[in-house]
């Protein structure tokens, strides 16, 4: 089965890198993964969308049509991508955002991704890594080794400690109860 | 260290560079343009590591010219571009065809004429890859549909370029260029890499464009290897000098076309999937094949007899392969991210024998498998 | 009977050339050949003929490449310097000499000229500057003086002309000079200096085109046009001995600018060594 993930936010927040890290972790876990993105002309600001498809089978079509998971870091992206989700889709969003009425609140995890990056980790630019930590805790997709490998291959040398801190801080944002509720086993 | 290679996540554009380096490419000249820029960036990073040369030129025309110059001097050379830049390179691509200078030109296609949609996928340069430069000329163009195939096929692009002494267009698209996939690269010792021929056919540089009877490709030493010969974009005789002699000019043009036409079987590669019992064939190329394969699997699950015909060599068009499939087919669907370009080639080959329909898209988004399935259902009616 | 020089350095079987009677281009081509010969014979330089590559673009000037018995490549209009950049960068041991015209290198190829100068790519560019597009029949070029006539300027050109050597110098060329068809010995020496110079050099050689430029502008025949060069272009020693009043309206034949800056392919080789050392150390 395909597991379709969409990562959205504003250019410069690192949502493309988040999707790349998740795809890399999937590959490190021995799964198939395809990652792609779409973006406008802005290097910073502007809506940004990245997608990762994970499967045990060969992945042909590379785009996401009915996401099983959505990460939203801005109100604009949450409002836009709330539509068209799979019935059991999990939504992870920053807790400063308001949840559109169309979404089932039970399926939305609102956690302080941006504040955690800024205050607990100490660098707002680690928000994408905090998000990756939270995503994996919630969905339970990869073992710790694969996740760390995924991050390691995409961060500058010398920033490991900062990023491990961000990963751990992200995981702590998701309760064990929520993690049990949202866990996704890839069949 | 374990010898078993681990899969890594790699982008299509990055795989293009790694494949080119594996093929012996040691010279890159380019100009930044979306969505091919990662190819220039990766070359800037990687080529010094392997002792190769990278230069960012002042424009697209200069990039193409520098690549031809470097290749004439004996180094396997590549450039990469997209849409507008591909238009700008065309004159010098024609020079490469005429002077028979091997090189690889990567075009990561993007949407639209003019500036269009720079970050969006398209396959609108299919005909330009064939007819972009003025005048009749030979063309080889290859198009990959996955990250791994980008790696292996760009090696083939270099091999064909060296073997036939002609520019080869590596026709990528944004779908594959900007996509990341887990890949396990082949062991370098498993790769076939053509070396450049470095001596003249009959040893005489004053006959540097001479080819023996029954052959089509001249063999030439690079500049600076101790033989003083001349290269020109004018019609030339076998000595490489301009000629206005109509017989000599005619013989040159004929040989240039024949060196590709007579070797189609060697050049053409096709992926034919689930076609043996199919009554419907979907023809597509490049990144579009991914949506098509998803649709074919779904259609099969629903009991429809559908298969995929994917030219990997997109020029020359694999007409023999397609013609051989026609007796079993009731209908053909061509799916492309353009307004119907390979569609025209399919219609030409089918010549009314089988109904041919077209599904295309030009809005900057990717055709989803569901649209292909719906089209198939309507065609089966 | 062709001279020994012509026998040795020209492709006799491809002569006679296509240039008009009275054209200055043949003189410049010979200047280049003599410069190469003298550098081959110079024990300090020992220029290797097999390493010389002549690159040209399109236009009257650019036919010279085909007549000269060296590695030669006659490229596309305006792109000679870009092709030459590829050749030089690929094989820095080659001595790459670009033969180009005023239109070829400063109009359609102007961008390549300034950027090769900016990079200080080790090329020697010799311009056959005749103030006109000759091959296409006499259209005005970027060096046609304002007010002068051409087939596309029947009422006189409005364009302000380029000084190609100044343009190259402004873009960073580390050696620029001006020669002329009349000043043969001086021009040969300037080309020799350009070839010996490590870095981008440009020798802007004033040619004469009696057929189009001369005829359109009532400049007389080749003799009158050469006389103009003799009277208005002044070699270095004499030029610098002149008073400011005497210099007015006169053009220096000689070195215009000369400076030192690292040559591009040398710098790239250093970069490769640095990167590879860093990798080995890792």
């Amino acid at each position: 089965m395909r597991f379709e993930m969409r990562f959205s936010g504003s250019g410069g927040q690192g949502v493309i890198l988040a999707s790349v890290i998740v795809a890399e972790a999937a590959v490190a876990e021995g799964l198939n993964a395809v990652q792609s993105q779409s973006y406008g002309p802005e290097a910073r600001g502007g809506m940004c969308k990245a997608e990762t498809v994970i499967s045990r089978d060969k992945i042909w079509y590379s785009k996401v049509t009915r996401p099983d998971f959505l990460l939203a870091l801005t109100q604009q992206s949450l409002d836009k991508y709330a539509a068209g989700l799979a019935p059991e889709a999990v939504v992870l969003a920053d807790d400063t955002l308001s949840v559109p009425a169309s979404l089932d609140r039970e399926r939305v995890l609102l956690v302080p991704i941006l504040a955690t990056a800024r205050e607990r980790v100490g660098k707002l630019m680690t928000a994408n890594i905090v998000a990756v930590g939270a995503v994996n805790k919630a969905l339970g997709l990869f073992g710790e080794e694969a996740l760390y490998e995924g991050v390691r291959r995409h961060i500058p040398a010398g920033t490991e400690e900062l990023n491990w801190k961000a990963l751990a801080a992200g995981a702590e944002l998701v309760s064990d109860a929520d993690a049990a509720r949202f866990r996704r086993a890839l069949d | 260290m374990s010898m078993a290679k681990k899969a890594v996540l790699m982008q299509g554009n990055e795989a293009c560079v790694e494949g080119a380096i594996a093929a012996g490419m040691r010279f890159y000249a380019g100009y930044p343009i979306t969505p091919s820029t990662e190819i220039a960036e990766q070359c800037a990073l990687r080529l010094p590591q392997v002792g190769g040369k990278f230069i960012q030129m002042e424009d697209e025309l200069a990039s193409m010219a520098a690549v031809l110059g470097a290749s004439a001097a004996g180094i396997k050379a590549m450039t990469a571009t997209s849409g507008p830049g591909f238009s700008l390179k065309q004159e010098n691509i024609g020079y490469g065809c005429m002077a028979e200078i091997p090189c690889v030109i990567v075009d990561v296609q993007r949407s639209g004429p003019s500036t269009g949609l720079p970050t969006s996928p398209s396959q609108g340069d299919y005909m330009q890859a064939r007819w972009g430069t003025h005048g009749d000329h030979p063309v080889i163009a290859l198009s990959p549909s996955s990250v791994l195939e980008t790696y292996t096929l760009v090696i083939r692009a270099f091999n064909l370029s060296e073997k036939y002494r002609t520019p080869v267009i590596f026709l990528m698209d944004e779908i594959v260029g900007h996509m990341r996939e887990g890949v396990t690269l082949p062991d370098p010792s498993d790769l076939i890499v053509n070396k450049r021929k470095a001596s003249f056919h009959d040893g005489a540089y004053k006959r540097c464009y001479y080819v023996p009877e029954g052959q089509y490709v001249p063999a030439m030493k690079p500049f600076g290897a101790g033989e003083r010969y001349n290269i020109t974009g004018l019609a030339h005789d076998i000595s490489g000098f301009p000629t206005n002699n109509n017989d000599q000019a005619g013989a040159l043009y004929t040989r240039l076309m024949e060196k590709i036409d007579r070797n189609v079987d060697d050049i053409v590669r096709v992926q034919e999937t689930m076609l043996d019992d199919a009554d419907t064939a979907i023809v597509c190329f490049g990144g579009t094949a991914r949506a098509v394969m998803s649709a074919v699997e779904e259609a099969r699950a629903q009991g429809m007899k559908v298969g995929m015909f994917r030219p990997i060599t997109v020029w020359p068009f694999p007409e023999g392969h397609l013609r051989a499939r026609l007796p079993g087919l009731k209908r053909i669907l061509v799916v492309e991210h353009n307004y119907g370009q390979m569609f025209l080639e399919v219609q030409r080959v089918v010549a009314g024998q089988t109904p041919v329909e077209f599904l295309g898209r030009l809005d900057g988004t990717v055709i989803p498998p569901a649209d292909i399935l719906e089209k198939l259902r309507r065609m089966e009616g | 009977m062709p001279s020994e020089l012509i026998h040795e350095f020209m492709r006799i079987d491809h002569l006679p050339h296509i240039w008009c009677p009275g054209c200055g281009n043949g003189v410049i081509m010979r200047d280049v050949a003599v410069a190469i010969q003298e550098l081959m014979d110079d024990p300090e330089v020992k220029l290797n003929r097999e390493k010389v590559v002549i690159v040209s673009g399109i236009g009257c000037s650019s036919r010279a490449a085909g007549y000269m018995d060296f590695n030669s490549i006659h490229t596309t209009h305006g792109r000679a310097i870009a092709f030459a950049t590829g050749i030089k960068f690929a094989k820095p041991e080659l001595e790459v000499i670009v033969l180009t015209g005023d239109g070829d290198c400063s109009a359609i190829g102007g961008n390549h000229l300034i950027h090769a100068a900016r990079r200080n790519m080790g090329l020697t560019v010799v311009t056959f500057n005749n103030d006109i597009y000759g091959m296409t029949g006499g259209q005005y070029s970027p060096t046609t003086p304002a007010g002068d006539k051409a087939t596309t300027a029947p009422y006189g050109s409005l364009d302000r002309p380029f000084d190609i050597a100044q343009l190259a110098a402004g873009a960073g060329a580390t050696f620029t000079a001006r020669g002329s068809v009349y000043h043969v010995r001086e021009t040969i020496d300037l080309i020799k200096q350009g070839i010996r110079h490590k870095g981008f050099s440009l020798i802007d050689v004033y040619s004469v085109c009696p057929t189009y430029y001369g005829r359109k502008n009532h400049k007389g025949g080749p003799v009158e046009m050469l006389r103009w060069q003799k009277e208005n272009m002044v070699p270095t020693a004499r030029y610098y001995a002149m008073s400011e009043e005497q210099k007015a309206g006169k053009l220096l034949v000689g070195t215009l600018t000369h400076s030192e800056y690292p040559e591009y392919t040398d710098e790239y080789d250093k970069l490769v060594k640095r990167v590879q050392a860093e990798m080995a150390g890792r």
Side-chain angles (χ1 to χ4, degrees), chain B residues 32-80:
Chain B
I33 184 164
T34 305
S36 71
T37 306
E38 293 84 359
I39 295 176
E41 291 171 340
Q42 190 70 11
C43 283
L45 183 74
R46 291 282 286 120
L47 281 172
Q49 296 175 354
V50 296
K53 314 282 170 97
F54 169 88
I55 187 167
Q56 182 170 309
M57 294 298 285
E58 54 274 15
D59 58 35
E60 298 277 4
L61 301 93
S63 309
M64 192 63 228
V67 158
L68 292 170
S71 182
I75 298 192
K76 287 188 186 177
M78 176 172 94
T79 185

Side-chain angles (χ1 to χ4, degrees), chain B residues 58 73 92 95 228 230 232, chain C residues 50 72 74 76 89 91 119:
Chain B
E58 54 274 15
N92 282 330
Y95 185 93
R228 301 186 293 270
N230 185 58
T232 179
Chain C
E50 305 303 338
S72 60
H74 174 226
T76 49
F89 189 33
K91 293 278 172 72
R119 293 185 188 104

